[in-house]
Amino acid sequence: MKPYGSLRTHGAGTLRRDHDGDEVVLGGWVDRRRDHGGVAFIDLRDASGVVQVVADAGEGEADEVLAAAHDVRAEWVVRVRGTVRSRPEGMANPALDTGEVEVAADHLEVLSQAETPPFPIEDRVEADEILRLSYRYLDLRRPGVGDALRTRAQITSIMRRVMERNGFLDIETPMLTRSTPEGARDFLVPSRLQRGEFYALPQSPQLFKQLLMVAGMERYYQIVRCFRDEDLRADRQPEFTQLDVEASFVDEDDLFALFEELMVELWRDVLDVELNVPFARLTFDEAMARYGTDAPDTRFGLRLTDLGEVFRGSDVGIFRSALDGGGSVIGWRLPGGGSLTRKQFDDWVEFAKRRGAKGLAWGVVEPGETTRRPTLRSPLAKFMADDEVTALVAATEADVGDAIFFGAGPTIQTQELMGALRVAAAREHDLIPAGKWAFCWVTGWPLVEWNTDASRWDAMHHPFTAPTDESLEGLEDDPGAARARAYDLALNGTELGGGSIRIHRREVQERVFAILGIGQEEAREKFGFLLDGLSYGAPPHGGIAFGLDRIAMLMAGKGSLRDVIAFPKTQSGSDPLTHAPAEVDDGQLRELGLRLLPREK
Ligand code: ASP
């Protein structure tokens, strides 16, 4: 196919000085029109960019062209024939890639007229998002908005190239299927032919990709839509896309190397950035202890420090009782934080309380007056022994002029609070270096976590994740201590993806189901097909899934997943363009054997 189609010869945005004198035919949208009576300028926009078209008064056809140029309006679709000419010295427009040339039109044809758009088709104008999504086809005409989709397409193309180069096959898995547990609610689809029965839209292709390994396909990938019915946060969409991968006879290192190769190629080709590999690796425990999160932002320091040794036996009641109760005291230093005002410290205390903490301690390291030991300016200072202050300053490696934040409570909560504070303070005080891409594998995850509300163990990743060999012995005695062969890839504090080496032996899978409170009957009813598959010679296998929308968002420098999805849903899960979800008529419900309950107030 001709790159610009048979109706055109060139892309508007591709014209340069070396096209001088060429006869071209362009087609696109009227970006802007400037009319000076005897001469009219049209900025003509197509997917490749914008070029200036000039209609001059002259003889014969020229006047017709000028008359037509007078009539056109913004967003009309036109076709122009003309000659490329270099703009005179000093008349170039540096804001346009095509700014050194213009096209002198000798023919102009209107292909479509347009209503006045509800918002200007310009990147600079911030229109209301609901309005933009209602007219998404106009929104996407804005270069910056449309470019995000072009970047996304480049990303998927590179993903396919790398996966295929490594021998992976693109295999589709069903959309109408049974529930696959990934920890969210299913979207259900009622069956007309089997009344009263429902398909579930896949939360992921997890079980199918494992069965493809049983089937001997060995290397599978898919760029696949997944569906999770969750209460939506700003960075979630009910349907989203994953690069989904599974491979046989591999271990963690094989997969890490493959995805490092992929990331290097993506960053090189899309952003012209050379990444350093191998990526850093942290265990889950290290990530929590140093950064207070399982998706650490390692672009900057401000690491957390365990202060158990400092405050063991302390007179400060909250510290001692936290430690005596098996919890932790954790702190970190904010370099130069001594210059914060009292109000700023109070705001951080409020920040901690909003996140459910009882309080937050802080102190500023100051030079000691009579001794060479530093002192602490802090609301808690009078309760702290001199040795405690010295040990605190030493443990956090704080200098005079730094602030120290510290807090106590149950370990995970305190880690998470300090981790959130660390990131928020780094943002607030501009301590995050720009243009840095910090990737980090997080490994050694717990296999299960205790669900207090339901009084049961939940899989930390999903129920098909293999325990480490060491954890397999005595698994039932202390499930909470078991470690999984699971891993996540974090980038700048965001989880890009995660996966695991899977259980490939039926009896192990049954043991893990039992720990998760999935009885034999339930296991057979829900996952019988997987268990059967594992009984027919399953190779060791493992895989991963990456959130494509998130990767595209980060690489395109956008702030929301909606920016990299052509037709996204709003935060309430609706689509302002098509007005989905929508009511259906009684006939459709009857066919499906469904009747609606009255809406709850
Ligand atoms: N199925 C997992 C997910 O969708 C990824 C994996 O374990 O490969 O998050």
Side-chain angles (χ1 to χ4, degrees):
M1 202 173 91
K2 295 182 189 146
Y4 301 103
S6 292
L7 305 190
R8 305 185 288 194
T9 58
H10 290 73
T14 64
L15 300 178
R16 298 288 182 274
R17 233 178 228 292
D18 38 323
H19 292 98
D20 198 353
D22 289 358
E23 166 101 348
V24 297
V25 181
L26 307 176
W29 288 260
V30 175
D31 198 54
R32 282 205 303 157
R33 186 191 55 119
R34 291 178 307 284
D35 209 325
H36 300 291
V39 50
F41 298 97
I42 293 174
D43 284 349
L44 187 75
R45 168 182 13 96
D46 66 15
S48 66
V50 175
V51 73
Q52 172 165 291
V53 173
V54 191
D56 272 316
E59 283 148 34
E61 225 191 330
D63 279 336
E64 279 170 39
V65 173
L66 185 58
H70 286 318
D71 286 342
V72 300
R73 293 288 175 269
E75 300 311 312
W76 287 23
V77 182
V78 297
R79 189 152 86 122
V80 172
R81 196 184 62 218
T83 309
V84 180
R85 65 183 185 210
S86 293
R87 296 201 203 183
E89 209 56 53
M91 299 292 276
N93 176 358
L96 283 183
D97 288 342
T98 59
E100 297 201 318
V101 297
E102 58 191 10
V103 175
D106 53 43
H107 187 76
L108 187 138
E109 185 187 345
V110 173
L111 302 177
S112 279
Q113 300 194 356
E115 307 270 335
T116 305
F119 47 83
I121 309 299
E122 285 175 29
D123 282 334
R124 279 175 296 158
V125 181
E126 260 323 308
D128 171 66
E129 186 171 38
I130 300 291
L131 183 67
R132 287 173 45 197
L133 294 183
S134 307
Y135 294 90
R136 184 64 163 164
Y137 45 87
L138 295 179
D139 193 31
L140 289 170
R141 275 188 206 163
R142 311 205 287 175
V145 183
D147 281 348
L149 295 191
R150 294 183 187 98
T151 302
R152 181 186 173 114
Q154 195 189 356
I155 292 170
T156 50
S157 154
I158 296 167
M159 284 177 168
R160 291 187 186 286
R161 178 173 84 207
V162 173
M163 296 316 294
E164 278 158 26
R165 185 171 69 218
N166 282 281
F168 285 76
L169 299 178
D170 175 7
I171 304 177
E172 289 182 285
T173 52
M175 289 287 121
L176 294 175
T177 179
R178 288 197 66 150
S179 179
T180 301
E182 295 279 357
R185 242 180 244 114
D186 288 322
F187 279 100
L188 296 177
V189 180
S191 158
R192 181 177 60 83
L193 296 175
Q194 331 289 331
R195 264 196 175 206
E197 301 191 352
F198 294 80
Y199 303 97
L201 300 180
Q203 290 188 34
S204 85
Q206 184 62 34
L207 299 177
F208 291 106
K209 66 175 172 174
Q210 290 192 237
L211 292 173
L212 287 170
M213 297 304 105
V214 178
M217 302 311 297
E218 296 201 2
R219 288 180 178 217
Y220 144 94
Y221 88 96
Q222 189 180 188
I223 293 178
V224 62
R225 201 69 59 82
C226 300
F227 305 84
R228 296 183 191 177
D229 189 2
E230 291 173 294
D231 297 323
L232 300 176
R233 286 193 259 117
D235 62 345
R236 288 270 168 91
Q237 284 278 315
E239 52 178 312
F240 59 94
T241 308
Q242 287 187 343
L243 168 63
D244 195 53
V245 178
E246 198 74 11
S248 296
F249 303 105
V250 293
D251 65 14
E252 289 86 336
D253 287 329
D254 295 316
L255 293 166
F256 290 0
L258 172 64
F259 293 106
E260 286 169 1
E261 176 184 332
L262 172 62
M263 296 301 153
V264 165
E265 204 146 318
L266 281 172
W267 260 254
R268 182 183 296 147
D269 288 6
V270 180
L271 298 177
D272 207 8
V273 166
E274 265 323 299
L275 298 179
N276 287 328
V277 285
F279 296 154
R281 291 188 198 182
L282 286 175
T283 66
F284 172 83
D285 290 341
E286 287 166 341
M288 292 302 295
R290 292 183 203 163
Y291 302 100
T293 166
D294 54 34
D297 191 339
T298 54
R299 280 175 297 176
F300 58 99
L302 314 189
R303 286 194 189 174
L304 312 187
T305 309
D306 183 278
L307 300 173
E309 286 310 310
V310 175
F311 289 107
R312 204 164 298 287
S314 168
D315 284 341
V316 185
I318 45 164
F319 294 164
R320 207 188 37 237
S321 62
L323 292 170
D324 290 349
S328 299
V329 185
I330 295 165
W332 57 280
R333 108 188 146 110
L334 182 64
S339 62
L340 266 64
T341 62
R342 180 64 197 238
K343 161 94 176 47
Q344 284 174 303
F345 282 113
D346 289 345
D347 286 346
W348 289 123
V349 175
E350 276 313 306
F351 174 98
K353 288 188 175 158
R354 275 199 305 280
R355 278 174 172 63
K358 291 216 190 72
L360 172 72
W362 57 269
V364 172
V365 183
E366 295 188 329
E369 274 170 27
T370 51
T371 62
R372 290 178 46 215
R373 289 181 172 187
T375 59
L376 202 64
R377 171 164 61 83
S378 162
L380 278 185
K382 55 179 176 289
F383 305 107
M384 288 172 63
D386 286 351
D387 284 352
E388 246 162 45
V389 170
T390 309
L392 171 68
V393 171
T396 53
E397 296 178 11
D399 290 321
V400 169
D402 294 346
I404 303 173
F405 290 97
F406 47 122
T411 302
I412 299 257
Q413 270 114 296
T414 310
Q415 287 172 332
E416 285 175 346
L417 169 69
M418 288 299 161
L421 189 66
R422 165 186 177 268
V423 171
R427 282 208 190 109
E428 170 102 12
H429 300 292
D430 250 345
L431 298 174
I432 306 182
K436 198 160 161 182
W437 301 99
F439 287 84
C440 168
W441 292 106
V442 179
T443 64
W445 292 68
L447 183 69
V448 292
E449 62 185 336
W450 184 247
N451 179 333
T452 327
D453 296 335
S455 291
R456 58 149 199 257
W457 292 108
D458 282 342
M460 191 102 171
H461 185 49
H462 52 51
F464 318 107
T465 296
T468 59
D469 286 346
E470 305 80 66
S471 302
L472 214 44
E473 270 171 56
L475 188 58
E476 287 75 6
D477 303 335
D478 188 3
R483 295 286 135 170
R485 295 182 67 183
Y487 34 79
D488 269 8
L489 183 62
L491 167 61
N492 294 356
T494 312
E495 179 199 328
L496 284 192
S500 57
I501 301 297
R502 324 295 183 186
I503 297 168
H504 73 279
R505 294 208 320 266
R506 178 178 182 137
E507 68 279 10
V508 177
Q509 186 65 71
E510 284 174 333
R511 282 173 66 192
V512 169
F513 280 154
I515 287 169
L516 299 174
I518 304 173
Q520 272 183 13
E521 197 140 327
E522 189 186 350
R524 201 163 321 113
E525 139 77 15
K526 285 190 179 155
F527 308 116
F529 61 101
L530 173 76
L531 291 172
D532 285 346
L534 296 182
S535 320
Y536 283 97
H541 61 285
I544 200 162
F546 288 99
L548 174 65
D549 310 289
R550 185 149 315 158
I551 292 179
M553 176 182 89
L554 291 169
M555 297 192 82
K558 297 291 181 184
S560 157
L561 296 178
R562 296 189 290 280
D563 294 333
V564 293
I565 297 175
F567 299 103
K569 308 274 189 294
T570 62
Q571 277 194 54
S572 57
S574 45
D575 173 7
L577 175 74
T578 62
H579 301 291
E583 291 179 357
V584 297
D585 62 46
D586 285 341
Q588 264 179 306
L589 287 177
R590 216 170 307 119
E591 252 182 348
L592 295 166
L594 297 178
R595 194 183 305 128
L596 295 180
L597 294 173
R599 271 179 216 264
E600 279 173 34
K601 290 251 164 68

